[in-house]
Amino acid sequence: MKTRRLGKTGYDVSEIGLGCWQLGGDFGPVGDETASEILDAANDAGVTFWDTADVYGGGLSESRIGAHEKAAGVHVATKLGRGSGLFPDNYSKDGVRASLVASAERLGVASLDLAQLHCVPTEVLRDGQIFGWMDELKAEGLVRHWGASVETIKEGLICLEQPGCATLQIIFNLFRQDAAKALLPKAAERDVGIIVRLPLASGLLSGKYDKATRFDESDHRSYNADGQAFSVGETFSGIPFERGVELVGELRGLAPEALPMSQFALRWILDHPQVSTIIAGVSKPEQLADNVAASGQKSLFPALMGQLSEWYEKDVKPEVRGGI
Ligand SMILES: NC(=O)c1ccc[n+]([C@@H]2O[C@H](COP(=O)([O-])OP(=O)(O)OC[C@H]3O[C@@H](n4cnc5c(N)ncnc54)[C@H](OP(=O)(O)O)[C@@H]3O)[C@@H](O)[C@H]2O)c1
């Protein structure tokens, strides 16, 4: 597994990381045994960056990670700001501290490796007070580093102005390419580590679904398919599901024949050198090995990267809902 430096944290992390929203049961039920097998598989494969949040399964994802023996060098990032009564307009330094203390307890650590603001409203980012609290909580030792997970490029640019911001988590994939030009160069300039979420557009880009696919009612791909519960951009990257299936059909015609679709999608992201790590979400242990294999694949040819960019601008971008 190849590693990359995670911005100002200085951590050396695997370029394929692990998204742990699934361990909270928001992609359909995941039992204790499967959760443990996924974390074992991550340890075995050298996946050393794990992403979770206080709200995933109401703390279940963090508790499962906390209870699991981690291989040396694993860094666990969590998030705050959507739970603990903070969202949408009740943010305070004490509230943020209490949320982080609870996360640290569930994760079984005294100090968090990385705490990320979790899609807090744009006005809260604009106001900026919350960044000062994060600097202070870092100085207190509760967090080693802090960063932000954002929904739009505009929000990302606000965070990049903060000297204390070590990492930025963004949606970036073949269905959401704008950050390549609008954000990544500036992040690199500021030495802010880029963490990529939704690399497979909630699984769509793996190519395994068809228009008849249905998801469990406990799965956000069922209850938030059109943004009924939270930002539509967080589910299928904001692309209407059936249109997404058609677009994946178009992509198949562009992908190198020997490359599985999932690895093609991950390789495209890795071919942006400003990306530090991709937190691919996994609901079955066998998916992990497939995702990790993308790290060993050859880079895509520049001509193909150009074609994919043109295809995105013309066929995909007009379909994205929820803001870019
Ligand atoms: N606001 C935020 O900060 C925020 C929001 C969303 C996500 N995240 C983080 O980002 C992580 C990644 O995003 P995501 O999980 O939403 O989307 P994702 O990584 O694009 O998609 C995950 C889904 O893709 C499928 N999959 C994964 N590997 C596969 C493979 N090799 N072959 C076939 N299918 C595969 C699985 O679907 P099936 O379950 O159908 O098998 C899996 O549940 C999350 O786990 C979470 O940690 C953060």
Side-chain angles (χ1 to χ4, degrees):
M1 167 67 76
K2 293 186 189 114
T3 61
R4 299 185 184 193
R5 184 170 163 280
L6 183 61
K8 286 178 209 147
T9 69
Y11 299 152
D12 194 33
V13 295
S14 55
E15 59 183 19
I16 301 292
L18 177 66
C20 297
W21 191 8
Q22 283 72 1
L23 302 192
D26 256 325
F27 283 72
V30 171
D32 284 341
E33 200 175 324
T34 304
S36 184
E37 284 168 9
I38 289 170
L39 296 176
D40 279 341
N43 268 336
D44 293 349
V47 172
T48 57
F49 186 76
W50 302 359
D51 174 84
T52 183
D54 59 342
V55 289
Y56 294 167
L60 179 63
S61 173
E62 286 183 333
S63 303
R64 282 174 161 169
I65 291 170
H68 198 270
E69 198 169 321
K70 284 169 272 308
V74 169
H75 295 288
V76 178
T78 193
K79 307 189 202 80
L80 67 130
R82 301 290 292 200
S84 304
L86 299 171
F87 183 81
D89 55 6
N90 194 29
Y91 295 92
S92 67
K93 183 178 169 190
D94 285 346
V96 168
R97 185 193 285 108
S99 170
L100 291 172
V101 166
S103 285
E105 276 167 13
R106 284 188 291 270
L107 287 167
V109 296
S111 181
L112 294 160
D113 292 340
L114 175 66
Q116 305 161 96
L117 301 176
H118 193 177
C119 296
V120 304
T122 316
E123 314 81 75
V124 176
L125 297 177
R126 272 208 201 100
D127 169 79
Q129 249 192 319
I130 199 162
F131 299 123
W133 302 334
M134 296 306 288
D135 284 335
E136 287 161 23
L137 293 167
K138 181 180 170 195
E140 284 177 22
L142 181 55
V143 304
R144 290 200 179 90
H145 300 280
W146 68 265
S149 176
V150 294
E151 270 159 13
T152 63
I153 287 177
K154 203 188 276 177
E155 291 172 347
L157 292 172
I158 297 174
C159 297
L160 290 184
E161 296 302 320
Q162 302 303 317
C165 183
T167 62
L168 192 63
Q169 184 179 131
I170 58 168
I171 300 173
F172 184 54
N173 60 41
L174 281 161
F175 283 173
R176 202 70 101 78
Q177 301 191 14
D178 297 72
K181 291 189 188 119
L183 196 71
L184 298 189
K186 191 155 209 176
E189 234 174 66
R190 303 275 154 102
D191 194 20
V192 172
I194 292 289
I195 299 166
V196 169
R197 73 172 181 272
L198 269 81
L200 297 177
S202 312
L204 254 179
L205 288 165
S206 72
K208 68 182 176 181
Y209 311 131
D210 60 32
K211 289 187 180 178
T213 302
R214 294 290 172 268
F215 298 94
D216 191 275
E217 60 179 22
S218 64
D219 190 321
H220 73 99
R221 296 170 295 185
S222 167
Y223 68 77
N224 195 53
D226 297 304
Q228 302 92 321
F230 46 82
S231 167
V232 67
E234 302 295 350
T235 303
F236 304 127
S237 261
I239 299 285
F241 179 70
E242 293 195 3
R243 180 64 186 136
V245 170
E246 289 168 4
L247 289 169
V248 169
E250 292 180 20
L251 260 184
R252 272 185 211 285
L254 296 170
E257 243 172 60
L259 207 51
M261 282 300 285
S262 48
Q263 292 180 38
F264 170 54
L266 297 177
R267 191 62 247 172
W268 178 86
I269 300 167
L270 288 175
D271 287 340
H272 294 84
Q274 305 96 334
V275 168
S276 293
T277 184
I278 301 176
I279 45 168
V282 162
S283 66
K284 298 160 197 79
E286 56 275 17
Q287 292 169 346
L288 207 123
D290 186 37
N291 296 340
V292 162
S295 172
Q297 296 288 359
K298 287 196 191 105
S299 290
L300 304 177
F301 287 117
L304 175 55
M305 295 297 274
Q307 253 182 314
L308 291 166
S309 164
E310 279 168 31
W311 169 78
Y312 168 74
E313 291 292 336
K314 186 168 136 308
D315 287 4
V316 188
K317 192 167 170 173
E319 313 265 358
V320 177
R321 300 171 297 175
I324 288 178

